[in-house]
Amino acid sequence: MHLTNLLLGLDSLHLFFYLPLVLPGLLGLAAPRFAERLEPRVATWLLTGSAVVLAAASTVALGVLALAGVIRIPLAALIGHWSPTTIAQGDPVSKAEAALAAVLLVAAVVAALRLLRRRVRALVAAGFEAACLPGAGEYVVVDDPAPEAYALPGRPGRVVVSSGMLAALDEGEREVLIAHERAHLRAHHYAFVAVAHLAAAANPLLRPVSTAVAYTVERWADERAADACGDRRRAAQAVGKAALATKRSARGASPRNPATALGILGLRRGPLHGAGPVPRRVAALLAPPVRARRGLPWALPFGVPWLPLVAMCALLAASGVCAFAAAHDIHLLLDPRG
């Protein structure tokens, strides 16, 4: 490749670098609407998968920019057998940009590793606690006046409900509560929450997505509980009463509870947007469930609209292509055959 063509190609490196870093912000803006308007299971899969792709693309972009600074170091050029003259003429990335990218990359990796460490430790603790609980069944009642209910993943996983929570609910509401926690356990909701939070650690613009996923897994479990009891109004009442009982409790959920660390306790503070998560969950259960709009050209099965899906696919494709193009251009710059 001629040096002129190389320079023309590498002039686009800035665009290829910056787009994967800022495009996750668009998903962050759209995440609350996706969480509210899509069927919860579909929304959880869609938001989590998209967050992973965008986080990976932004990490690659940071790595490419940091590498563009490393190759300017004479010792690195000597080890890699690169031409310092070609690098100096063809690399459009400034030293300040490369240094900043290196700092951001290290910060993202450290944040992700620390979060991963905490999640693994919480998962192991949950497994040990589940194994140590009395009985052999999936459902366990603990003698505790504080109203709590949570799912502990393990072998086997356990659904734990305190005596205080049982006292706060009637028989039908208890059925809803147990079905809700079983849905968390069987659908491995802790994994979705963990992956979304890891993506947000890699790119903070994805934090609204992780918040939305924490909400959609609750909505997913709510819908499974409503299906199990066959009464959406009863399910809404159970969700509201359980939340109210927890709020009135003097102690509330223990921060050392493994379910709290895994993000699957179910009663979180802090709004998704507007009203808090519990009122929105109750309102969603009192409304008809999201179903496929059969026969309409702008909707797919599970109530997924065409336009938002196409927009999200375009967002993911643009981020992935830009990250790949930036890495490819750096490869061309370092290729001794260029």
Side-chain angles (χ1 to χ4, degrees):
M1 175 180 288
H2 294 294
L3 182 58
T4 303
N5 293 334
L6 181 64
L7 290 174
L8 289 175
L10 290 172
D11 281 341
S12 61
L13 183 61
H14 280 78
L15 178 63
F16 293 151
F17 162 66
Y18 284 116
L19 279 181
L21 295 180
V22 299
L23 287 178
L26 297 179
L27 181 62
L29 292 175
R33 291 188 176 274
F34 275 99
E36 292 291 346
R37 298 188 179 186
L38 298 184
E39 196 272 335
R41 179 169 63 90
V42 174
T44 301
W45 277 99
L46 193 61
L47 290 172
T48 305
S50 300
V52 169
V53 173
L54 292 175
S58 65
T59 303
V60 169
L62 284 175
V64 168
L65 193 59
L67 179 60
V70 170
I71 61 179
R72 289 173 176 263
I73 301 175
L75 180 59
L78 178 63
I79 295 175
H81 304 288
W82 303 317
S83 170
T85 303
T86 303
I87 296 297
Q89 293 177 341
D91 188 358
V93 179
S94 69
K95 293 181 180 180
E97 288 176 299
L100 178 60
V103 171
L104 293 177
L105 180 61
V106 171
V109 171
V110 170
L113 289 177
R114 290 181 62 184
L115 179 61
L116 180 62
R117 177 174 173 268
R118 290 198 301 268
R119 291 296 172 126
V120 170
R121 290 179 62 181
L123 186 60
V124 172
F128 274 114
E129 184 171 333
C132 293
L133 287 171
E138 183 183 50
Y139 174 51
V140 180
V141 178
V142 295
D143 186 14
D144 189 340
E148 285 191 336
Y150 50 89
L152 287 176
R155 292 182 179 271
R158 315 295 289 272
V159 172
V160 183
V161 182
S162 69
S163 57
M165 181 62 81
L166 293 179
L169 306 176
D170 61 31
E171 183 176 355
E173 294 161 352
R174 294 170 190 166
E175 177 187 354
V176 173
L177 180 70
I178 295 170
H180 176 101
E181 298 303 334
R182 280 177 175 161
H184 278 320
L185 195 62
R186 295 173 181 176
H188 306 288
H189 287 166
Y190 63 91
F192 290 98
V193 175
V195 169
H197 278 85
L198 283 172
N203 191 319
L205 293 178
L206 291 171
R207 286 179 182 174
V209 181
S210 67
T211 302
V213 170
Y215 173 78
T216 58
V217 297
E218 294 302 329
R219 286 281 300 114
W220 185 348
D222 289 343
E223 291 295 333
R224 291 296 176 269
D227 291 341
C229 73
D231 188 341
R232 297 181 65 82
R233 183 171 292 277
R234 179 189 296 176
Q237 184 175 349
V239 169
K241 287 183 67 175
L244 186 60
T246 303
K247 184 177 180 180
R248 287 177 175 175
S249 171
R251 189 180 72 186
S254 171
R256 296 183 179 181
N257 190 322
T260 305
L262 290 171
I264 54 173
L265 190 58
L267 301 172
R268 296 175 180 81
R269 298 179 180 179
L272 177 66
H273 63 86
V278 172
R280 302 188 79 84
R281 288 168 54 196
V282 171
L285 285 170
L286 293 176
V290 177
R291 298 300 184 206
R293 299 180 179 180
R294 301 187 183 278
L296 297 179
W298 57 85
L300 295 171
F302 304 107
V304 181
W306 273 103
L307 185 58
L309 182 62
V310 170
M312 180 169 287
C313 290
L315 177 66
L316 297 179
S319 184
V321 168
C322 286
F324 173 80
H328 179 66
D329 280 350
I330 282 291
H331 170 72
L332 292 179
L333 181 62
L334 300 180
D335 191 346
R337 296 169 297 177

